[in-house]
Amino acid sequence: MASPIYRPLDPSKKEIRHLHLRPGIGAQDLAASLVHVELSDPKAAAYETISYAWGDASRRATLDIDGHILSVPQTAAAALRCMRLPDRDRVLWIDSICINQADIGERGSQVAMMADVYTRAVCTLAHVDVPECDFDLVVSSIAAVRSQCEHEPSSLRDLDPHAAVEGFGGTSPLSLGLGDTAVIALQQFLEAAWFRRLWVLQETTLSKRTILHCGSGTLELDHVFEFVEILFQDPMRLVADNSFSLLDEKIGTIFQASRMARRFHEHALSLQGLKSVSDFRDVTDDRDHVYALVGVYQKSNKLSKLPPDLIPDYTQDISSVYLRACQFAMTESQILDVWNTSRLFSPDPENWPSWAWRIRNGDDLEGTHFTYSKKSSGRILRGDRRACGSSKVLRYTRPVFYGERGQVLSIQGYPIALTTGITCVFDGLGDAVLSAFLSQVMDLFLPLQQSVGATLQLLGTTLVAAWNFTAREPGDADADDLLDLLRSVGTGSDVSSQLTPYLTSLRLACMHRRFFTTLADHMGLGPSQLEFGDVIVILAGCTWPVALRRCPGQRYRLLGACYIGELMSGDIADSLVEEGTRLMQFSII
């Protein structure tokens, strides 16, 4: 039966629907009309897009569309009331209403056009609902900090993709001068559900301008981005400031969005890179962990249309969507940086390919790339080194997928060594956890020191240098710092302030990982599920060594990325290629 509200759209004309919202105030009923327009029609009315958090879809409100009552999400109705003008119509585009959500085919075709919808809009109006937040205090606090540090956002724009890493611990202590009440208000606001929505990345990156609405107040999103960039440029300088409590996982996702928006106009963004930031954001439909990224990917790479494997199709199940997109990303880039994510540090379901993007649980926020907090976990490996070396043989990969739905990945590489010793998983912040971990590390290290002359300097560096966003850069003092830390732990004395950066780095690098040694006398850090007898390999196109577990039938499961100091420069990989060492074909399931 045809809908009295939704007439079919003409995909050949790239039609969308505008919502003409009738004027009103307060609790007055919402009323509007839906008008078909061609997206590219220069005579079509100018419009604004609305961004909001869907929230609990079972909570509903009503909207009068030309005399017909439409059930809409309560959060959408709240956003419309916030944006409604008192004296005239307002032309808007809002996904839950302008797209017929009951028509799966239309939903897919409209999602494929959303990049154009946002780039052509006058601006995006974001409804950030935080009822108990003192929004006026948020606005004034952000303005004060931006004024105090007005030189910093521009300097951040000149930094490379690892912008916030290089300065960690390298600048003088900073006080932002915020009162405790202001910090609480900022935390309430910045942890709003809207900031955690994955679709926000596309909406804010592609929009000409985004204005945040909270209650009756407004704030430019760019100002929020600048504030968060100031926090994350060097968190160690804020350790003694009350604003340090703002540096948690949820607010770290805002830094991600800011960096993406800045880089969008400077670099083509890979699907792998985009996907690496999506797992820790909220979506209503898990397929949108892919589909919410394709618009940014298309515009960033200046594609006239989406590749077939990335065209939104909500008739596909989630596993098919993930597999096709993952295979596309790996084949397109010929680099396995897709494995540079924290998902590798928690076990995958046995029936899911270990090499593929993990289908995360909706509540799984374990480990985000841009967090600096007491809950820190899986982080990205340092990207300035490549274990696969510089040779054309290993620098890039040509993945082959076979089996049902291409769930087996065939890839070349070199086996390096089997693990012969592993510690417990470093999984906690207590002194007892640190003491037990370091004791086991030293039990494995001392035999290496005696047999092959392994140095305390290399050990000290290994324990802090493995992943980005550590509190300090590895350096010549790593051996001395580790010795001082071992003495403090051994005697039960407090760690000196001079050792704080090293200890913080160690915790960040080792959290949820094991220290291990190998039959070839290597030492390193690996994923939590690493066991005795697992094999460390260098794979074509993979920046880091990885740990594999042998399975029946000459197949392997991927456990995760590893850090081994001697391999990270790529010299060993290059030597193996130069010597003509035969590559091994690994079938990873």
Side-chain angles (χ1 to χ4, degrees):
M1 181 177 176
S3 167
I5 295 175
Y6 292 108
R7 290 188 295 108
L9 295 168
D10 186 345
S12 67
K13 295 181 179 180
K14 295 195 73 172
E15 279 190 333
I16 64 170
R17 298 182 184 95
H18 281 174
L19 183 75
H20 288 241
L21 183 62
R22 304 297 180 227
I25 57 174
Q28 290 180 351
D29 291 343
L30 292 166
S33 294
L34 286 173
V35 178
H36 286 216
V37 297
E38 294 182 29
L39 193 54
S40 58
D41 184 0
K43 297 180 181 179
Y47 65 96
E48 299 159 301
T49 52
I50 288 186
S51 176
Y52 65 103
W54 271 53
D56 184 354
S58 67
R59 301 179 63 185
R60 312 296 290 181
T62 58
L63 170 64
D64 183 322
I65 302 288
D66 293 329
H68 299 283
I69 300 302
L70 178 67
S71 174
V72 301
Q74 194 174 83
T75 49
L80 291 177
R81 291 186 189 281
C82 180
M83 309 307 170
R84 180 170 57 177
L85 299 175
D87 55 354
R88 63 186 186 278
D89 284 5
R90 193 166 198 174
V91 183
L92 302 167
W93 186 91
I94 178 170
D95 57 359
S96 62
I97 299 169
C98 294
I99 299 174
N100 182 359
Q101 298 295 322
D103 186 332
I104 299 297
E106 177 182 304
R107 185 178 165 197
S109 63
Q110 288 285 288
V111 166
M113 295 165 53
M114 281 174 64
D116 289 327
V117 170
Y118 281 94
T119 55
R120 292 175 184 271
V122 173
C123 69
T124 290
L125 310 172
H127 184 234
V128 185
D129 186 24
V130 193
E132 298 180 1
C133 175
D134 186 341
F135 189 61
D136 290 339
L137 182 57
V138 168
V139 173
S140 61
S141 298
I142 288 177
V145 172
R146 288 179 59 240
S147 177
Q148 177 184 351
C149 307
E150 59 183 349
H151 66 286
E152 297 203 352
S154 60
S155 66
L156 276 169
R157 293 189 185 99
D158 297 330
L159 296 174
D160 65 16
H162 302 289
V165 181
E166 307 305 331
F168 266 39
T171 52
S172 301
L174 176 67
S175 173
L176 298 183
L178 298 172
D180 291 342
T181 304
V183 170
I184 292 171
L186 284 163
Q187 194 151 27
Q188 289 175 329
F189 177 70
L190 295 174
E191 292 187 354
W194 181 83
F195 288 107
R196 299 196 304 275
R197 287 183 63 241
L198 178 56
W199 283 104
V200 163
L201 287 178
Q202 173 172 270
E203 294 161 1
T204 59
T205 299
L206 299 182
S207 298
K208 297 180 178 72
R209 177 189 180 196
T210 301
I211 305 170
L212 309 183
H213 291 250
C214 185
S216 60
T218 62
L219 177 64
E220 294 283 346
L221 179 62
D222 281 349
H223 295 176
V224 176
F225 281 171
E226 289 181 9
F227 173 75
V228 172
E229 286 177 340
I230 289 167
L231 295 180
F232 276 83
Q233 185 184 26
D234 185 356
M236 285 302 294
R237 64 183 177 168
L238 298 173
V239 167
D241 191 64
N242 60 354
S243 63
F244 188 73
S245 62
L246 295 174
L247 295 166
D248 66 11
E249 290 146 330
K250 292 179 180 178
I251 297 175
T253 62
I254 304 176
F255 178 61
Q256 279 183 327
S258 172
R259 198 172 77 167
M260 179 180 291
R262 187 171 65 247
R263 295 187 65 207
F264 172 75
H265 300 287
E266 302 169 0
H267 309 283
L269 302 176
S270 70
L271 185 62
Q272 288 187 8
L274 291 170
K275 180 63 180 66
S276 70
V277 304
S278 79
D279 283 341
F280 312 105
R281 294 180 177 271
D282 296 334
V283 294
T284 304
D285 187 319
D286 277 338
R287 287 167 289 199
D288 289 337
H289 280 296
V290 173
Y291 293 156
L293 304 173
V294 297
V296 176
Y297 172 79
Q298 179 184 358
K299 292 297 183 181
S300 173
N301 289 274
K302 298 179 172 57
L303 303 177
S304 59
K305 60 182 180 180
L306 286 170
D309 285 336
L310 302 184
I311 294 175
D313 180 358
Y314 288 92
T315 65
Q316 291 191 44
D317 60 62
I318 178 61
S319 61
S320 297
V321 172
Y322 267 51
L323 277 176
R324 289 180 65 191
C326 185
Q327 291 163 353
F328 171 87
M330 295 170 70
T331 303
E332 175 203 38
S333 67
Q334 297 187 351
I335 295 174
L336 298 184
D337 286 357
V338 67
W339 292 347
N340 181 14
T341 64
S342 62
R343 59 159 286 281
L344 295 177
F345 301 100
S346 53
D348 290 313
E350 286 298 322
N351 61 349
W352 183 248
S354 62
W355 53 264
W357 294 335
R358 179 183 174 195
I359 302 175
R360 80 168 180 94
N361 180 286
D363 299 322
D364 180 11
L365 287 177
E366 179 186 350
T368 175
H369 299 304
F370 300 95
T371 176
Y372 187 86
S373 76
K374 293 182 179 180
K375 295 181 181 179
S376 59
S377 58
R379 275 172 190 75
I380 55 178
L381 288 158
R382 293 190 53 79
D384 53 352
R385 301 162 179 164
R386 294 186 62 85
C388 59
S390 57
S391 166
K392 292 181 180 179
V393 174
L394 281 178
R395 187 169 180 81
Y396 300 102
T397 185
R398 292 173 178 79
V400 176
F401 305 96
Y402 67 93
E404 183 182 359
R405 297 198 300 175
Q407 293 194 66
V408 181
L409 166 65
S410 180
I411 191 168
Q412 291 184 320
Y414 288 120
I416 299 300
L418 298 177
T419 56
T420 55
I422 55 173
T423 67
C424 60
V425 178
F426 185 72
D427 199 5
L429 295 171
D431 292 340
V433 172
L434 177 63
S435 177
F437 177 74
L438 289 178
S439 175
Q440 292 185 27
V441 166
M442 295 308 296
D443 286 345
L444 293 178
F445 168 73
L446 290 175
L448 286 182
Q449 187 181 46
Q450 296 168 2
S451 62
V452 296
T455 66
L456 199 63
Q457 173 68 30
L458 179 58
L459 175 63
T461 297
T462 297
L463 294 177
V464 297
W467 278 266
N468 276 339
F469 280 71
T470 54
R472 60 187 285 287
E473 286 294 289
D476 296 336
D478 290 343
D480 293 336
D481 286 346
L482 177 58
L483 277 175
D484 289 343
L485 179 61
L486 290 169
R487 293 191 190 100
S488 295
V489 171
T491 60
S493 58
D494 292 336
V495 174
S496 68
S497 58
Q498 289 181 327
L499 275 181
T500 298
Y502 183 85
L503 175 58
T504 303
S505 292
L506 184 147
R507 282 175 166 157
L508 287 168
C510 296
M511 188 64 72
H512 302 309
R513 300 187 177 88
R514 296 180 188 268
F515 178 83
F516 67 88
T517 55
T518 75
L519 190 61
D521 296 326
H522 298 299
M523 59 181 170
L525 291 177
S528 60
Q529 59 268 39
L530 192 68
E531 295 179 358
F532 178 87
D534 290 330
V535 60
I536 309 299
V537 304
I538 295 174
L539 295 179
C542 196
T543 301
W544 312 272
V546 299
L548 301 179
R549 179 163 299 153
R550 186 77 171 268
C551 300
Q554 298 293 315
R555 293 182 174 184
Y556 296 83
R557 284 193 69 81
L558 172 69
L559 302 178
C562 300
Y563 179 92
I564 298 177
E566 301 98 319
L567 302 184
M568 297 310 298
S569 67
D571 291 343
I572 290 180
D574 287 343
S575 296
L576 290 170
V577 173
E578 291 172 5
E579 293 166 4
T581 305
R582 185 175 179 180
L583 287 163
M584 179 175 172
Q585 200 75 28
F586 293 92
S587 293
I588 304 176
I589 58 175

